[in-house]
Amino acid sequence: MGPLGVAREVAGPPGVERVLAAWIATAEHATTRLPTTVFSLTAAAAPRWRLPERTLDRLTADPVTWFEAEHEALAGAVAVAAESGLAQSAWGLAAAMVPYLDLRCHLGTWRRTHTLALSAARAAGDRYGEAAMLRGLAQVSLYQDRYEEAAAGFTRSRRIFHDLGDTRAEAISICGLGAVSQFRGRHARSLGHFRRALAMFLALGDQHGEAYARQAIGRACIRSGDLAQASESLGQAMRLAQELGDAHREGCVCVQMGQLHQAMSFHRHALEIFESLGDRHCGAYALQSLAGLQAAGGELAPASAGLERALEVFRELGDRSGEASSTQLLGELHRSAGRTGLALDYLRHASALRRSLPV
């Protein structure tokens, strides 16, 4: 039973605002129990109504299962809030869903709820809500390889957060700009964004943001060839992740460590973490990296199996960048095994996928 049903039992026939207040309080409580919430934003002024603690703890004991059962109802509640002109409730609930939608790659629901909440925030003149929804939509666009759209959304949200004086939220948007630059292959610009965000997180004492930024700097340094700086940044990110008990961030850092040191142990540990957390998207990238090392070491069968698994996930999630890189690696693997015709098919498809990606 979701908060709507419980609210009816506890308080009798509730009004729309009371039901929405229960949804937001419960969703935010569940979100705090998810493995990754580093860039969560909240609607401070949105009404909240907490269910009895025993009921709340029972509902969200397994937060992923709760979200899986309720996320369509939550999306419906965002629509009700937006249609009722309750902008704070609309975007607050949409924002509370992001860590789960990100973990499970429900990009359609993410885009739909944020678009509705964005319209409500703009109609109400809620600039913070507008910026929060712009940032969320930009993240979806980034995942869908729509780089111009993502850059525009992160830029607009950053300006609004800056005008409103919210340094943390501004740093979050700057990280988004860094990610866009990285996907476009503009490593120097990417590094500049991540270093700027790191300085802001350090000034705030935000260790979760710091861990993300240090990991991102390490990743950018690997790609630019500055391996000494990469090692230093990733080492700092790893220590922070472990101190914070952030298993998801530890897994992300392990993937970069594996690339830096060409060590399968890091990739296997990252894969174990992502599988235990149910993060198939990050798990696919860990599989891809592990397969690259396996192929280089002559372990062609496990490398091929891992790449096919990663490719299936990338296709399912619509990640064309991941699909292109996995397809390329499969082509190279088949070529090294002497399967020339099959290799050519994969390599041609990889080339077509890369041409379809924006620059």
Side-chain angles (χ1 to χ4, degrees), residues 1 6 32 55 57 101 148 174 233 281 285 342 353 355:
M1 180 187 298
V6 175
T32 63
T55 302
D57 288 341
L101 298 176
E148 286 291 341
I174 291 172
S233 294
H281 200 189
Y285 276 104
L342 186 58
L353 284 167
R355 287 196 302 270

Side-chain angles (χ1 to χ4, degrees), residues 179 189 201 233 243 303 312:
R189 182 177 297 181
F201 287 131
S233 294
E243 288 171 8
E312 181 180 352

Side-chain angles (χ1 to χ4, degrees), residues 168-244:
R168 175 180 175 270
E170 183 185 357
I172 290 171
S173 292
I174 291 172
C175 286
L177 289 170
V180 172
S181 295
Q182 189 167 83
F183 275 100
R184 284 173 154 173
R186 301 169 184 175
H187 302 306
R189 182 177 297 181
S190 172
L191 194 55
H193 285 308
F194 289 132
R195 283 179 170 156
R196 192 171 302 111
L198 173 60
M200 297 165 81
F201 287 131
L202 286 171
L204 293 168
D206 184 336
Q207 290 186 307
H208 286 280
E210 179 189 350
Y212 173 90
R214 290 194 185 282
Q215 180 225 329
I217 288 169
R219 184 174 63 238
C221 287
I222 289 174
R223 298 189 180 184
S224 67
D226 188 350
L227 302 188
Q229 181 60 59
S231 180
E232 180 181 346
S233 294
L234 291 173
Q236 292 169 327
M238 180 67 82
R239 285 192 294 275
L240 274 170
Q242 291 174 340
E243 288 171 8
L244 294 167

Side-chain angles (χ1 to χ4, degrees), residues 117-128:
L118 174 61
S119 296
R122 283 174 167 164
D126 183 344
R127 295 192 73 218
Y128 193 94

Side-chain angles (χ1 to χ4, degrees), residues 262 264 289-300 303 329 333 336:
Q262 297 293 290
M264 292 186 193
S289 296
L290 175 61
L293 289 182
Q294 289 171 327
E299 299 178 42
L300 302 188
L329 285 170
L333 186 151
S336 67

